[in-house]
Amino acid sequence: MVSKAFSMGLFGMHAFKVEVECDLSAGLPAFDLVGLPDAAVKESRNRVRAALKNCGFDFPVSRITMNLAPADVRKEGPVYDLPLLIALLKATGQLNVNTDDCIFAGELSLSGALHPVRGVLSMAIEAGKLGYTRMFVPAENAYEAAVVTGLSVYPVPDVFTLIDHLRGTKPILPAAPYHSDPKNQPPLPDFADVKGQAQAKRALEIAASGGHNVLLIGSPGSGKSMLAKRLPSILPQMRFEEMIETTEIHSVAGLLPSNTALIETRPFRSPHHTISGPGLSGGGSIPRPGEISLAHNGVLFLDELPEFSRSSMETLRQPLEDGVVTVSRVNGTVAFPCKFMLVAAMNPCPCGYYGHPTRPCTCSETAVARYLGRVSGPLLDRIDLHIEVPPVDFRDLSNTAKEESSASIKARVDAARDIQNERFANTGITCNAQIPPEMLHEVCRTAPAADALLKNAFEKFGLSARAYDRVLKVSRTIADLDNSCDIEARHAAEAVRYRTLDRKYWTR
């Protein structure tokens, strides 16, 4: 007799149904596991055997064959421990219940307790689509799975509790549906802590309003990192769909904190400059998300940009354009979403004091050119706003007056985003930075004076077609902040000013 239990597997962010089959036959005792299992899945045999014995169940002395279908897709991880145990109990007659509407997922300890696994949210979403009504997961994973409506999610601490529930002797209460509570969100760093730097704050306000990429250039200690870390505090509140996408990525990567239902604050990822290209884009034999996908719907901050390897920086070029990163491996190709705001910070030279008003630069012209040359022109062209962050003078530092708070700036950002939400309703576009080429001139209508100014800037600065499009999008955002239907000359002039810094440093 063949018994069955159902589980879910992961490939990238995609979950798929796995049918766990168990057959007992005569012959020498053996425990065979087939269906393209990886090493972690093969080790499930030992965990299942020990858990059964330590929980007081009988382990059959016969030839055991267990199959994970579909057999042509590789299975990885310890997520199949629990369904393997359930299928084995059903095959031996120690559990006589109907589990056809159930999904089981979880890693077993040798004592029978359940440990959390990654990717449960993706599994729950797919289980709901396939019509399953019950899902049994480790207690730490229950909160994220309970986000899915129409699916009863049961937190399982150990095998004893699960078997009692299935037999009906001691039911488990399903996890409560998700309810957002803004009071539970941790406080974010506030712009009120930043002294001076009015121009940089204005540029970051524009970037937040339109979802634009930013490059901050300045000497050490001028506040570049401090400004960047406060950017999430003025970004719009995440929509529910964005929360689901972001949580799903972190769950698949195994980075979702235990007992967390949804990630409600926009991610802020700040990888070290020693990170590799695959660390940014994602990778592995069965690909997992990298830093640019973990920053989806949030901010990717690259501090000391020239210190990153050339291959790592060039990895960003295609995702910045498409909002999707594709990772190809022998086992298949996976696409991870990565719509993020890039915020990069750098010094103008190796010593950091080129152009400083009081401290002399100790670098040679060749060293400065070599240092700046580490950032390629194509990558620089994909960054919308280039901002010089000057040293903060003593008058600003010693000023005891309160600086403008993040809440005040965020109110203006939200007002600009409301205009964009109305403009792009039912198009899938969420901000001006995502305007496609076919909509650009329809959305970014320019007044005659602004058109003349942009034409002059294009010819004078030698802007590329991509740079012109990005200047136009930034102009649209500035006009939205000004609540203007058309792009006026003052809006275009401010946008052009944010594209001239590369001419100062990279064409010396």
Side-chain angles (χ1 to χ4, degrees):
M1 176 183 176
V2 176
S3 65
K4 294 182 180 180
F6 299 100
S7 186
M8 287 284 169
L10 281 177
F11 187 77
M13 286 182 60
H14 173 66
F16 58 92
K17 184 177 81 169
V18 175
E19 189 173 308
V20 180
E21 301 174 310
C22 180
D23 176 69
L24 303 181
S25 59
L28 291 174
F31 195 162
D32 295 325
L33 187 57
V34 297
L36 282 182
D38 72 350
V41 180
K42 290 178 181 178
E43 291 173 353
S44 295
R45 296 174 296 184
N46 299 323
R47 290 191 293 271
V48 169
R49 180 187 288 109
L52 278 175
K53 290 185 176 180
N54 291 327
C55 289
F57 296 101
D58 295 326
F59 189 82
V61 183
S62 59
R63 188 172 188 85
I64 306 169
T65 303
M66 304 199 78
N67 178 46
L68 304 176
D72 61 340
V73 180
R74 190 161 187 81
K75 321 300 186 307
E76 69 158 2
V79 66
Y80 305 106
D81 289 7
L82 187 59
L84 286 170
L85 182 141
I86 295 297
L88 190 55
L89 287 177
K90 291 176 69 176
T92 57
Q94 298 178 80
L95 181 64
N96 297 307
V97 295
N98 184 4
T99 61
D100 289 347
D101 64 336
C102 301
I103 292 292
F104 299 93
E107 175 188 344
L108 287 171
S109 72
L110 301 186
S111 64
L114 262 69
H115 297 311
V117 293
R118 64 183 183 86
V120 167
L121 179 56
S122 297
M123 298 176 188
I125 292 172
E126 184 64 19
K129 290 179 181 177
L130 294 175
Y132 289 92
T133 57
R134 293 187 292 169
M135 186 171 184
F136 296 89
V137 298
E140 291 89 341
N141 292 129
Y143 289 96
E144 58 175 299
V147 170
V148 180
T149 57
L151 182 68
S152 296
V153 178
Y154 295 90
V156 181
D158 51 56
V159 172
F160 294 108
T161 306
L162 174 60
I163 300 304
D164 286 343
H165 173 85
L166 293 175
R167 288 173 174 170
T169 57
K170 193 175 181 182
I172 304 173
L173 291 176
Y178 165 78
H179 292 290
S180 177
D181 186 0
K183 296 180 181 178
N184 293 333
Q185 296 181 16
L188 297 173
D190 200 294
F191 270 99
D193 304 327
V194 182
K195 297 291 186 179
Q197 302 297 7
Q199 182 179 348
K201 290 178 183 178
R202 166 66 177 174
L204 290 177
E205 178 183 336
I206 294 169
S209 299
H212 303 291
N213 304 318
V214 181
L215 174 65
L216 303 169
I217 306 178
S219 58
S222 57
K224 303 184 296 296
S225 299
M226 192 175 186
L227 287 162
K229 290 175 181 177
R230 280 151 180 76
L231 182 58
S233 67
I234 63 173
L235 291 174
Q237 181 64 33
M238 294 177 74
R239 294 176 290 108
F240 183 74
E241 295 79 6
E242 291 177 323
M243 294 181 191
I244 290 287
E245 290 176 350
T246 305
T247 306
E248 196 172 356
I249 293 170
H250 283 72
S251 177
V252 166
L255 298 177
L256 188 67
S258 60
N259 298 326
T260 298
L262 283 182
I263 294 175
E264 300 182 17
T265 56
R266 295 191 179 273
F268 182 87
R269 304 295 300 184
S270 181
H272 192 260
H273 60 75
T274 56
I275 191 171
S276 64
L280 276 175
S281 62
S285 57
I286 297 183
R288 295 190 185 183
E291 288 292 333
I292 59 177
S293 292
L294 293 170
H296 180 59
N297 293 321
V299 176
L300 177 66
F301 177 47
L302 302 184
D303 200 7
E304 305 297 343
L305 181 65
E307 302 298 336
F308 285 78
S309 68
R310 189 64 174 258
S311 61
S312 297
M313 285 191 283
E314 298 309 304
T315 298
L316 298 170
R317 286 164 57 175
Q318 178 263 334
L320 283 173
E321 289 290 319
D322 301 337
V324 174
V325 59
T326 303
V327 182
S328 297
R329 294 292 184 268
V330 173
N331 293 323
T333 299
V334 176
F336 295 113
C338 57
K339 293 181 180 178
F340 60 91
M341 285 180 61
L342 173 64
V343 180
M346 61 179 289
N347 298 326
C349 67
C351 79
Y353 296 105
Y354 177 80
H356 195 280
T358 57
R359 296 191 60 169
C361 174
T362 61
C363 306
S364 66
E365 288 292 320
T366 303
V368 174
R370 187 185 303 116
Y371 182 79
L372 294 173
R374 294 177 185 174
V375 182
S376 70
L379 177 60
L380 204 60
D381 208 34
R382 287 168 167 81
I383 300 179
D384 308 64
L385 293 92
H386 306 159
I387 307 162
E388 189 163 26
V389 185
V392 185
D393 59 33
F394 179 78
R395 184 178 57 185
D396 288 329
L397 285 174
S398 59
N399 189 0
T400 57
K402 289 256 184 195
E403 296 284 344
E404 188 176 22
S405 68
S406 291
S408 177
I409 301 173
K410 186 176 183 298
R412 297 194 294 270
V413 171
D414 288 341
R417 284 291 184 111
D418 288 341
I419 294 173
Q420 294 166 51
N421 291 336
E422 184 178 349
R423 177 187 298 136
F424 302 123
N426 303 319
T427 63
I429 301 170
T430 59
C431 58
N432 287 333
Q434 300 172 10
I435 300 174
E438 62 271 15
M439 292 180 60
L440 189 63
H441 291 286
E442 175 190 347
V443 172
C444 302
R445 297 190 306 270
T446 55
D451 199 39
L453 188 148
L454 289 170
K455 178 178 181 295
N456 184 48
F458 183 85
E459 295 172 349
K460 180 179 179 181
F461 297 117
L463 299 177
S464 66
R466 179 187 291 112
Y468 171 74
D469 287 353
R470 290 181 180 271
V471 167
L472 210 53
K473 293 174 185 178
V474 173
S475 301
R476 178 67 269 171
T477 300
I478 297 171
D480 289 341
L481 282 167
D482 202 22
N483 199 21
S484 174
C485 294
D486 293 335
I487 297 172
E488 304 292 342
R490 63 182 182 277
H491 307 139
E494 185 176 3
V496 168
R497 192 170 74 245
Y498 295 126
R499 290 294 303 202
T500 59
L501 202 58
D502 56 339
R503 271 66 186 172
K504 173 181 177 180
Y505 288 106
W506 276 266
T507 57
R508 292 169 42 248

